[in-house]
Short mmCIF file of all heavy atoms in Angstrom, two decimals:
data_model
loop_
_atom_site.label_atom_id
_atom_site.label_comp_id
_atom_site.label_asym_id
_atom_site.label_seq_id
_atom_site.Cartn_x
_atom_site.Cartn_y
_atom_site.Cartn_z
N ASP A 1 -11.42 -0.91 -0.24
CA ASP A 1 -12.48 -0.04 0.11
C ASP A 1 -13.74 -0.82 0.56
O ASP A 1 -13.68 -2.07 0.63
CB ASP A 1 -12.82 0.93 -1.05
CG ASP A 1 -13.32 0.18 -2.28
OD1 ASP A 1 -13.70 -1.01 -2.19
OD2 ASP A 1 -13.37 0.81 -3.35
N THR A 2 -14.80 -0.13 0.85
CA THR A 2 -16.00 -0.80 1.40
C THR A 2 -16.65 -1.75 0.39
O THR A 2 -17.40 -2.64 0.77
CB THR A 2 -17.02 0.24 1.85
OG1 THR A 2 -17.29 1.14 0.77
CG2 THR A 2 -16.48 1.02 3.03
N ALA A 3 -16.35 -1.60 -0.89
CA ALA A 3 -16.88 -2.47 -1.92
C ALA A 3 -15.99 -3.70 -2.11
O ALA A 3 -16.30 -4.59 -2.89
CB ALA A 3 -17.03 -1.75 -3.24
N GLY A 4 -14.86 -3.75 -1.36
CA GLY A 4 -13.96 -4.86 -1.48
C GLY A 4 -12.91 -4.75 -2.58
O GLY A 4 -12.18 -5.68 -2.87
N THR A 5 -12.85 -3.57 -3.22
CA THR A 5 -11.89 -3.36 -4.28
C THR A 5 -10.50 -3.15 -3.72
O THR A 5 -10.28 -2.35 -2.79
CB THR A 5 -12.27 -2.13 -5.10
OG1 THR A 5 -13.60 -2.29 -5.58
CG2 THR A 5 -11.32 -1.94 -6.27
N LEU A 6 -9.52 -3.85 -4.25
CA LEU A 6 -8.14 -3.74 -3.82
C LEU A 6 -7.56 -2.40 -4.33
O LEU A 6 -7.45 -2.19 -5.55
CB LEU A 6 -7.31 -4.91 -4.33
CG LEU A 6 -5.85 -4.99 -3.90
CD1 LEU A 6 -5.72 -5.19 -2.40
CD2 LEU A 6 -5.13 -6.11 -4.65
N LEU A 7 -7.15 -1.55 -3.41
CA LEU A 7 -6.61 -0.23 -3.78
C LEU A 7 -5.13 -0.13 -3.57
O LEU A 7 -4.46 0.68 -4.27
CB LEU A 7 -7.31 0.86 -2.97
CG LEU A 7 -8.83 0.98 -3.09
CD1 LEU A 7 -9.32 2.25 -2.41
CD2 LEU A 7 -9.26 0.98 -4.55
N ALA A 8 -4.57 -0.86 -2.64
CA ALA A 8 -3.14 -0.75 -2.35
C ALA A 8 -2.61 -2.02 -1.72
O ALA A 8 -3.36 -2.79 -1.10
CB ALA A 8 -2.86 0.44 -1.42
N VAL A 9 -1.33 -2.29 -1.92
CA VAL A 9 -0.64 -3.43 -1.33
C VAL A 9 0.71 -2.99 -0.84
O VAL A 9 1.41 -2.19 -1.47
CB VAL A 9 -0.45 -4.56 -2.38
CG1 VAL A 9 0.38 -5.72 -1.80
CG2 VAL A 9 -1.83 -5.08 -2.87
N SER A 10 1.09 -3.49 0.33
CA SER A 10 2.42 -3.16 0.90
C SER A 10 3.13 -4.42 1.31
O SER A 10 2.58 -5.24 2.05
CB SER A 10 2.26 -2.22 2.13
OG SER A 10 3.53 -1.82 2.62
N LEU A 11 4.30 -4.60 0.83
CA LEU A 11 5.19 -5.72 1.19
C LEU A 11 6.13 -5.24 2.27
O LEU A 11 6.87 -4.23 2.04
CB LEU A 11 5.96 -6.18 -0.06
CG LEU A 11 7.01 -7.31 0.13
CD1 LEU A 11 6.33 -8.59 0.53
CD2 LEU A 11 7.82 -7.47 -1.15
N ILE A 12 6.16 -5.89 3.41
CA ILE A 12 6.97 -5.43 4.53
C ILE A 12 7.76 -6.60 5.12
O ILE A 12 7.39 -7.75 5.00
CB ILE A 12 6.12 -4.78 5.64
CG1 ILE A 12 5.14 -5.84 6.21
CG2 ILE A 12 5.39 -3.55 5.12
CD1 ILE A 12 4.43 -5.35 7.47
N ASP A 13 8.88 -6.25 5.76
CA ASP A 13 9.65 -7.20 6.57
C ASP A 13 9.56 -6.79 8.04
O ASP A 13 9.55 -5.59 8.35
CB ASP A 13 11.13 -7.21 6.16
CG ASP A 13 11.35 -7.87 4.79
OD1 ASP A 13 10.46 -8.63 4.35
OD2 ASP A 13 12.42 -7.62 4.19
N VAL A 14 9.48 -7.78 8.92
CA VAL A 14 9.46 -7.54 10.35
C VAL A 14 10.87 -7.66 10.86
O VAL A 14 11.51 -8.74 10.73
CB VAL A 14 8.49 -8.49 11.05
CG1 VAL A 14 8.47 -8.20 12.53
CG2 VAL A 14 7.12 -8.42 10.45
N LEU A 15 11.39 -6.59 11.47
CA LEU A 15 12.70 -6.56 12.04
C LEU A 15 12.70 -6.59 13.54
O LEU A 15 11.63 -6.41 14.17
CB LEU A 15 13.47 -5.32 11.58
CG LEU A 15 13.52 -5.03 10.07
CD1 LEU A 15 14.12 -3.66 9.79
CD2 LEU A 15 14.28 -6.13 9.35
N GLU A 16 13.84 -6.79 14.16
CA GLU A 16 13.92 -6.76 15.61
C GLU A 16 13.51 -5.41 16.16
O GLU A 16 12.88 -5.35 17.22
CB GLU A 16 15.32 -7.12 16.07
CG GLU A 16 15.73 -8.56 15.80
CD GLU A 16 17.20 -8.81 16.17
OE1 GLU A 16 18.00 -7.84 16.26
OE2 GLU A 16 17.53 -9.99 16.42
N ASP A 17 13.85 -4.36 15.47
CA ASP A 17 13.63 -3.00 15.99
C ASP A 17 12.60 -2.25 15.16
O ASP A 17 12.55 -1.00 15.29
CB ASP A 17 14.92 -2.21 16.10
CG ASP A 17 15.60 -1.99 14.76
OD1 ASP A 17 15.19 -2.68 13.76
OD2 ASP A 17 16.51 -1.15 14.67
N GLY A 18 11.83 -2.90 14.36
CA GLY A 18 10.82 -2.16 13.59
C GLY A 18 10.30 -2.92 12.41
O GLY A 18 10.40 -4.14 12.32
N LEU A 19 9.72 -2.16 11.49
CA LEU A 19 9.24 -2.70 10.21
C LEU A 19 10.04 -2.07 9.08
O LEU A 19 10.48 -0.90 9.17
CB LEU A 19 7.77 -2.37 10.03
CG LEU A 19 6.79 -2.95 11.05
CD1 LEU A 19 5.34 -2.54 10.72
CD2 LEU A 19 6.89 -4.44 11.14
N SER A 20 10.22 -2.80 8.04
CA SER A 20 10.89 -2.33 6.84
C SER A 20 9.90 -2.32 5.66
O SER A 20 9.33 -3.36 5.34
CB SER A 20 12.09 -3.19 6.50
OG SER A 20 12.68 -2.82 5.26
N ALA A 21 9.67 -1.15 5.11
CA ALA A 21 8.76 -1.03 3.97
C ALA A 21 9.54 -1.42 2.72
O ALA A 21 10.33 -0.62 2.18
CB ALA A 21 8.25 0.42 3.88
N VAL A 22 9.32 -2.66 2.25
CA VAL A 22 10.08 -3.17 1.14
C VAL A 22 9.59 -2.58 -0.17
O VAL A 22 10.35 -2.04 -0.98
CB VAL A 22 9.98 -4.72 1.08
CG1 VAL A 22 10.75 -5.27 -0.12
CG2 VAL A 22 10.56 -5.30 2.37
N TYR A 23 8.27 -2.68 -0.43
CA TYR A 23 7.71 -2.13 -1.65
C TYR A 23 6.18 -2.00 -1.50
O TYR A 23 5.54 -2.88 -0.92
CB TYR A 23 8.02 -3.05 -2.87
CG TYR A 23 7.75 -2.38 -4.20
CD1 TYR A 23 8.67 -1.50 -4.73
CD2 TYR A 23 6.61 -2.64 -4.94
CE1 TYR A 23 8.43 -0.86 -5.93
CE2 TYR A 23 6.36 -2.02 -6.15
CZ TYR A 23 7.28 -1.14 -6.64
OH TYR A 23 7.05 -0.49 -7.81
N SER A 24 5.67 -0.89 -1.98
CA SER A 24 4.22 -0.66 -1.98
C SER A 24 3.75 -0.17 -3.32
O SER A 24 4.53 0.51 -4.05
CB SER A 24 3.87 0.40 -0.88
OG SER A 24 4.23 -0.06 0.42
N PHE A 25 2.54 -0.55 -3.66
CA PHE A 25 1.95 -0.06 -4.92
C PHE A 25 0.46 0.11 -4.71
O PHE A 25 -0.12 -0.44 -3.78
CB PHE A 25 2.24 -1.02 -6.06
CG PHE A 25 1.86 -2.46 -5.84
CD1 PHE A 25 0.61 -2.94 -6.25
CD2 PHE A 25 2.71 -3.30 -5.19
CE1 PHE A 25 0.24 -4.26 -6.01
CE2 PHE A 25 2.36 -4.65 -4.97
CZ PHE A 25 1.13 -5.12 -5.35
N TYR A 26 -0.16 0.91 -5.58
CA TYR A 26 -1.55 1.33 -5.32
C TYR A 26 -2.21 1.81 -6.62
O TYR A 26 -1.54 2.01 -7.65
CB TYR A 26 -1.59 2.42 -4.26
CG TYR A 26 -0.60 3.53 -4.49
CD1 TYR A 26 -0.89 4.62 -5.29
CD2 TYR A 26 0.65 3.49 -3.89
CE1 TYR A 26 0.02 5.62 -5.53
CE2 TYR A 26 1.58 4.47 -4.11
CZ TYR A 26 1.25 5.52 -4.94
OH TYR A 26 2.19 6.53 -5.16
N ARG A 27 -3.53 2.03 -6.54
CA ARG A 27 -4.27 2.52 -7.68
C ARG A 27 -3.74 3.93 -8.04
O ARG A 27 -3.76 4.86 -7.23
CB ARG A 27 -5.75 2.62 -7.35
CG ARG A 27 -6.50 1.29 -7.32
CD ARG A 27 -6.90 0.83 -8.72
NE ARG A 27 -7.85 1.73 -9.34
CZ ARG A 27 -9.17 1.57 -9.31
NH1 ARG A 27 -9.71 0.56 -8.64
NH2 ARG A 27 -9.95 2.42 -9.91
N PRO A 28 -3.30 4.09 -9.28
CA PRO A 28 -2.73 5.39 -9.67
C PRO A 28 -3.78 6.40 -10.07
O PRO A 28 -3.44 7.59 -10.31
CB PRO A 28 -1.83 5.04 -10.86
CG PRO A 28 -2.50 3.87 -11.46
CD PRO A 28 -3.11 3.11 -10.33
N ASP A 29 -5.01 5.99 -10.18
CA ASP A 29 -6.07 6.86 -10.69
C ASP A 29 -6.92 7.46 -9.55
O ASP A 29 -8.06 7.90 -9.77
CB ASP A 29 -6.97 6.10 -11.67
CG ASP A 29 -7.57 4.83 -11.06
OD1 ASP A 29 -7.09 4.39 -10.00
OD2 ASP A 29 -8.50 4.25 -11.66
N MET A 30 -6.38 7.46 -8.34
CA MET A 30 -7.10 8.02 -7.21
C MET A 30 -6.23 9.00 -6.44
O MET A 30 -5.92 8.85 -5.26
CB MET A 30 -7.56 6.91 -6.24
CG MET A 30 -8.56 5.96 -6.85
SD MET A 30 -9.09 4.73 -5.63
CE MET A 30 -10.48 3.97 -6.51
N PRO A 31 -5.76 10.05 -7.13
CA PRO A 31 -4.85 10.97 -6.44
C PRO A 31 -5.45 11.67 -5.22
O PRO A 31 -4.72 12.06 -4.32
CB PRO A 31 -4.52 12.01 -7.56
CG PRO A 31 -5.66 11.92 -8.52
CD PRO A 31 -6.09 10.46 -8.51
N HIS A 32 -6.78 11.80 -5.19
CA HIS A 32 -7.42 12.40 -4.04
C HIS A 32 -7.21 11.62 -2.75
O HIS A 32 -7.28 12.18 -1.67
CB HIS A 32 -8.94 12.56 -4.31
CG HIS A 32 -9.63 11.28 -4.48
ND1 HIS A 32 -9.51 10.51 -5.64
CD2 HIS A 32 -10.48 10.59 -3.69
CE1 HIS A 32 -10.23 9.43 -5.55
NE2 HIS A 32 -10.85 9.44 -4.36
N ARG A 33 -6.96 10.32 -2.88
CA ARG A 33 -6.74 9.51 -1.67
C ARG A 33 -5.32 9.56 -1.18
O ARG A 33 -5.07 9.22 -0.02
CB ARG A 33 -7.12 8.04 -1.97
CG ARG A 33 -8.62 7.75 -1.94
CD ARG A 33 -8.85 6.26 -1.92
NE ARG A 33 -10.23 5.85 -1.82
CZ ARG A 33 -10.86 5.64 -0.67
NH1 ARG A 33 -10.22 5.78 0.48
NH2 ARG A 33 -12.12 5.26 -0.66
N SER A 34 -4.34 9.92 -2.04
CA SER A 34 -2.91 9.90 -1.64
C SER A 34 -2.59 8.56 -0.99
O SER A 34 -2.12 8.49 0.16
CB SER A 34 -2.61 11.06 -0.70
OG SER A 34 -2.90 12.30 -1.27
N LEU A 35 -2.79 7.50 -1.72
CA LEU A 35 -2.66 6.15 -1.16
C LEU A 35 -1.25 5.83 -0.70
O LEU A 35 -1.06 5.11 0.28
CB LEU A 35 -3.16 5.11 -2.19
CG LEU A 35 -4.67 5.11 -2.44
CD1 LEU A 35 -5.02 4.33 -3.69
CD2 LEU A 35 -5.39 4.53 -1.22
N GLY A 36 -0.24 6.32 -1.41
CA GLY A 36 1.14 6.09 -0.96
C GLY A 36 1.40 6.64 0.39
O GLY A 36 2.03 6.01 1.26
#
């Protein structure tokens, strides 16, 4: 966010024909953001 707080992280692989979403995680206490 604008304060520099880490809210989410996504681990991805780059493929020949796209991206693969390997694993993502995020702040669970911000449901209003729907970070996933």
Side-chain angles (χ1 to χ4, degrees):
D1 63 15
T2 53
T5 304
L6 183 65
L7 301 189
V9 174
S10 184
L11 176 66
I12 62 170
D13 289 340
V14 182
L15 307 174
E16 291 176 337
D17 63 345
L19 299 180
S20 175
V22 178
Y23 194 78
S24 298
F25 54 94
Y26 46 87
R27 285 278 296 266
D29 56 346
M30 295 182 170
H32 62 287
R33 280 192 177 271
S34 300
L35 289 166

